[in-house]
Amino acid sequence: MWYAIEGYDRKDALARRMAVRPAHLARLSALLDQGRLLLAGPCPVIDAEDPGPAGFSGSIVIAEFESLEAANRWALEDPYMEAGVYARVDVRPFRQVLP
């Protein structure tokens, strides 16, 4: 089943986010290689493709896991969680309708 994983950045987390970004992207690439990633990306704080020092408010990942528990486990083991970038992560089932 698909799961929506939404991480919410702590204030002033941009430096930590950038420091662990390669490890975060490596985990997402692994899901992509396995055909289990629908989409992933950050949410800029401001209305701009590159928010610069304003940073990001969080990230959204939609990926396939065998269970809600597995999706939660994956989310909690993300480098952004371990480095303290995210204040919290919400995981919930997702059902794609379009496209």
Side-chain angles (χ1 to χ4, degrees), residues 17-36:
R17 174 184 270 271
M18 298 315 291
V20 297
R21 186 171 187 261
H24 172 75
L25 292 178
R27 292 181 86 233
L28 292 170
S29 292
L31 288 177
L32 182 63
D33 292 345
Q34 297 165 11
R36 297 173 44 209

Side-chain angles (χ1 to χ4, degrees), residues 52-91:
F56 301 92
S57 62
S59 303
I60 297 171
V61 174
I62 299 180
E64 187 176 33
F65 293 92
E66 60 272 7
S67 66
L68 179 58
E69 293 78 21
N72 270 306
R73 198 170 36 255
W74 186 92
L76 293 175
E77 293 171 356
D78 189 90
Y80 284 175
M81 276 300 290
E82 293 177 347
V85 173
Y86 292 154
R88 78 176 206 276
V89 175
D90 293 338
V91 180

